Amino acid sequence: MARRKKVYEGKAKILYEGPEPGTLVQYFKDDATAFNAQKKDVVDGKGVLNNRLSEFFMTGLNAIGVPTHFIRRLNMREQLIRQVEIIPLEVIVRNVAAGSLSTRLGIEEGTALPRPIIEFCYKDDKLGDPLVSEEHILAFGWASQQDLDDVIALSLRVNDFLSGCMLAVGIKLVDFKIEIGRIWDNDYQRLIVADEISPDSCRLWDIETGKKLDKDVFRRDLGSLSDAYTEVARRLGVLPANSGPVTRPTLIN
Ligand code: TMP
């Protein structure tokens, strides 16, 4: 494991050089952070769960023709991905008011939105990932108008797919964040879904009880984060219903 070159280390993941040009190995850590890393902890097994859950969602997206960076899972904590040039935006899609939208606009958490709302934040930890408009994105050249049209179309397809996956297991997809990357196939440039899709980057509420099954459990000190993520994984069939804690090798292969 020591042989690989680290390319980048973020708050929840590490990227290593991949076995072939144009690939990377994405390693999922157990570190949990919130509020731009002002709150930190280590949650045993979180990386294992997020590796599996991101695999599950990205594989499904690939299968319905929404391109993603995911190639294959390598082991409990690592997956092989395509190397992309990340567009420096966090793309947030919201179906129900919650979190910063509720705070910013005074809309009560849980209010259904009249249609999915897409927001963009500029990816810069030093600035705290500020909300930006399309005007900023175009003026500062972070993406072109064509890119933005593609980003919006991709995000809405991801929203429909994830909403359906969740609805099928009694969970409401309140909102989520994705990141989009650029790849080149010969001279042809395409945008694909990158980074991860996991309960770290979604809000997931039990449809019956409203119980939170996402990183808000950690942000708001609502209980065990690994229990919440394990529940999501079990409902989606990613973990067997009667398996033990995820730190033990009880995952389906
Ligand atoms: P927000 O309501 O705090 O703006 O979050 C919106 C969605 O984006 C929510 O599902 C959590 C996710 N998110 C991230 O994945 N990373 C972040 O750094 C933040 C602030 C939110």
Side-chain angles (χ1 to χ4, degrees), residues 90 92 94 98-100 175-177 200-203 219:
E90 302 211 325
I92 295 169
R94 301 179 184 272
S100 69
D175 56 34
F176 65 92
K177 182 268 297 185
D200 267 9
S201 50
C202 300
R203 280 199 177 88
R219 294 190 189 98

Side-chain angles (χ1 to χ4, degrees), residues 10-13 27-35 41-43 45-51 53-54 57 90 92 166 173 175-179 195-204 213-219 225-226 228-230 232:
K11 292 187 286 251
K13 299 184 293 295
Y27 175 97
F28 287 77
K29 303 194 276 189
D30 281 342
D31 300 16
T33 66
F35 315 118
D41 206 349
V42 175
V43 177
K46 178 173 87 79
V48 176
L49 285 160
N50 281 353
N51 186 25
L53 284 163
S54 204
F57 296 125
E90 302 211 325
I92 295 169
M166 293 303 176
L173 178 67
D175 56 34
F176 65 92
K177 182 268 297 185
I178 51 171
E179 295 183 25
D195 189 51
E196 73 178 284
I197 300 177
S198 75
D200 267 9
S201 50
C202 300
R203 280 199 177 88
L204 305 171
L213 298 169
D214 57 67
K215 202 162 103 180
D216 273 348
V217 171
F218 171 71
R219 294 190 189 98
L225 193 69
S226 77
Y229 288 19
T230 301
V232 174

